[in-house]
Amino acid sequence: MTKQEQFLWIVQTCLLANAINVSSGGQADRFRHEVSATGMFGNADEALRASELIPHDMDASSAAHDFLFFICSNLREGGEAGSPERCPDWMART
């Protein structure tokens, strides 16, 4: 697998797991905008874009961590360890 494929595999798996976790944890209404098909489509589109921007010196797992802990507001807002306050520079729109 290429680094881009590894990144997309990790992101896809974690987005689905996070949606299940949020929905089954009683927070479905709060995060419906993210776990709905429309929200997931937007996240998938961003993942595709980000997968092409991964710096050469960053591995797929680190890039996926950056992406997920920024794009999933329940992780970002939850103060999870490693959650960025703003979009990581490598995947920011210019």
Side-chain angles (χ1 to χ4, degrees), residues 1-64:
M1 291 174 92
T2 67
K3 180 170 35 174
Q4 184 178 12
E5 291 169 332
Q6 291 171 353
F7 170 85
L8 290 169
W9 181 79
I10 293 168
V11 167
Q12 175 184 338
T13 302
C14 291
L15 284 176
L16 292 171
N18 189 57
I20 292 167
N21 187 47
V22 166
S23 296
S24 65
Q27 297 180 324
D29 288 339
R30 181 172 175 213
F31 296 105
R32 175 108 27 233
H33 64 287
E34 288 184 44
V35 300
S36 68
T38 304
M40 204 58 80
F41 184 87
N43 288 344
D45 188 48
E46 283 299 307
L48 286 172
R49 187 186 69 78
S51 74
E52 297 176 349
L53 302 173
I54 302 168
H56 294 293
D57 62 344
M58 178 179 273
D59 62 31
S61 180
S62 296

Side-chain angles (χ1 to χ4, degrees), residues 59-81:
D59 62 31
S61 180
S62 296
H65 181 274
D66 279 2
F67 179 86
L68 290 162
F69 279 77
F70 176 72
I71 207 80
C72 297
S73 63
N74 68 302
L75 300 178
R76 185 176 64 243
E77 294 172 1
E80 298 287 334

